[in-house]
Amino acid sequence: MKYIIIKIFVIVTFFAAIFACKKTFIINTPYQVLDSSMAYLKIVHASPFFRRATGAQDTFNVFVGNIRLNNTPFLTYNGIFPNAVNPTSSSITNTYMAVPAGLQQFHFSIPGVLNQDSVQLFSFSKKLNPGSFYTLLITDSMLSKRDSSKIFIQDIFSTPLQGNISLRFIHAVLNDTAGKTVDVFSYARNATILTKITPDSATAFQTLGYNTGVIDTFYVTRSLATGQPSNTPLANRTILAKLPFATNTTGAAPQRVFTLYYKGDANTATGKKPRTIASYINQ
């Protein structure tokens, strides 16, 4: 009897110690979608010259069939839906919206006073797989026939192991200097993590170690010229934009999945639509 009491005490003490520890945000399992028959979508507006590219105003709604996807009055430059900077929640509703799977007709419409679908600007079709995640990142190539230029891409990722994050990079600055590419430099690592990325392209997700005690800053730099060593320090690189990757501004936390995207007008670092780097949460 005494042995049983001691054993119970040890077990209770063990679990009490676990729950007394300070908790950090950890995702132990992949997303559990609410309805596996639906597809999941995020919309990001990163087209600084939307008016010039489409000949239409830069305030519009996005529909699939007759369903308006954005619940904000309309989308405009820098708009993102749904959007959440949330370091403590893994809810799918914070990062993607559920849309019907299968072949779907998307269209952009100028909102009217009474009718949100007053004037249709353009449309396209896209087949969405059930249970899959997608990003529609609107660029100045929105009218392109290629999904890679729209940019309409499937988000294929898995939950990183503890102590890691996963991220990818989308280059959406389409008026960048012809023939030039960019690198992504990590201040915490003092090294490039992605190299020679061309406009109108997206990298695959990759896993990186994440130290909660060190706030990283990601820099978009001009790719090194031929002959420059790969360990060229940041001070000797051409910096185009930077993003402090802090929890309270980006939701940075272990086992999160992110997209970094480079957007804006390549020819200016100031004004309403300067070249800049931003991020959003995939998981």
Side-chain angles (χ1 to χ4, degrees):
M1 183 69 178
K2 182 178 181 181
Y3 171 77
I4 295 174
I5 293 174
I6 293 173
K7 186 175 182 180
I8 293 174
F9 175 79
V10 170
I11 293 173
V12 171
T13 303
F14 172 76
F15 282 103
I18 290 176
F19 288 104
C21 292
K22 182 179 179 181
K23 296 179 178 61
T24 56
F25 172 63
I26 295 175
I27 300 175
N28 293 313
T29 58
Y31 270 168
Q32 299 297 314
V33 298
L34 299 178
D35 185 345
S36 60
S37 68
M38 302 290 281
Y40 293 85
L41 177 69
K42 177 180 286 291
I43 301 175
V44 181
H45 188 340
S47 173
F49 303 115
F50 185 88
R51 293 174 183 268
R52 184 189 307 172
T54 65
Q57 68 183 50
D58 187 12
T59 49
F60 54 85
N61 292 312
V62 181
F63 287 77
V64 57
N66 61 355
I67 303 171
R68 181 163 66 105
L69 297 182
N70 53 291
N71 67 0
T72 52
F74 51 77
L75 285 174
T76 189
Y77 183 68
N78 280 333
I80 181 169
F81 182 80
N83 185 30
V85 177
N86 189 342
T88 60
S89 172
S90 61
S91 171
I92 189 71
T93 57
N94 287 335
T95 52
Y96 289 89
M97 71 189 90
V99 296
L103 184 63
Q104 301 297 332
Q105 182 82 8
F106 289 81
H107 67 266
F108 287 43
S109 294
I110 297 174
V113 176
L114 299 177
N115 187 354
Q116 293 294 330
D117 193 14
S118 292
V119 180
Q120 188 173 136
L121 300 178
F122 52 85
S123 64
F124 62 91
S125 296
K126 175 70 178 177
K127 184 177 181 180
L128 307 178
N129 297 321
S132 296
F133 307 113
Y134 297 87
T135 290
L136 170 57
L137 192 141
I138 302 165
T139 73
D140 293 337
S141 292
M142 188 61 220
L143 298 183
S144 171
K145 299 297 183 182
R146 296 185 299 119
D147 283 350
S148 59
S149 293
K150 278 188 178 66
I151 296 171
F152 203 135
I153 49 179
Q154 186 173 351
D155 299 339
I156 301 174
F157 55 83
S158 58
T159 303
L161 297 175
Q162 293 186 23
N164 293 276
I165 61 171
S166 183
L167 62 80
R168 69 174 173 192
F169 180 80
I170 298 177
H171 189 337
V173 180
L174 304 193
N175 70 330
D176 200 6
T177 306
K180 295 289 187 178
T181 61
V182 300
D183 295 348
V184 179
F185 188 96
S186 163
Y187 182 82
R189 294 165 181 78
N190 193 32
T192 54
I193 57 173
L194 296 164
T195 60
K196 297 188 181 304
I197 307 160
T198 60
D200 248 0
S201 67
T203 71
F205 287 97
Q206 70 170 37
T207 300
L208 295 171
Y210 180 80
N211 185 344
T212 56
V214 179
I215 297 177
D216 203 352
T217 297
F218 293 116
Y219 292 83
V220 176
T221 70
R222 184 61 67 201
S223 295
L224 296 175
T226 302
Q228 282 187 277
S230 60
N231 62 349
T232 298
L234 183 63
N236 294 337
R237 296 170 181 259
T238 301
I239 298 173
L240 302 172
K242 67 178 182 179
L243 174 69
F245 201 62
T247 298
N248 63 337
T249 56
T250 67
Q255 295 190 279
R256 280 287 202 191
V257 180
F258 299 89
T259 294
L260 305 178
Y261 61 107
Y262 181 44
K263 60 187 174 79
D265 183 353
N267 298 315
T268 180
T270 60
K272 293 183 178 180
K273 299 177 181 179
R275 59 179 186 268
T276 185
I277 179 174
S279 71
Y280 62 83
I281 299 170
N282 296 95
Q283 173 178 299

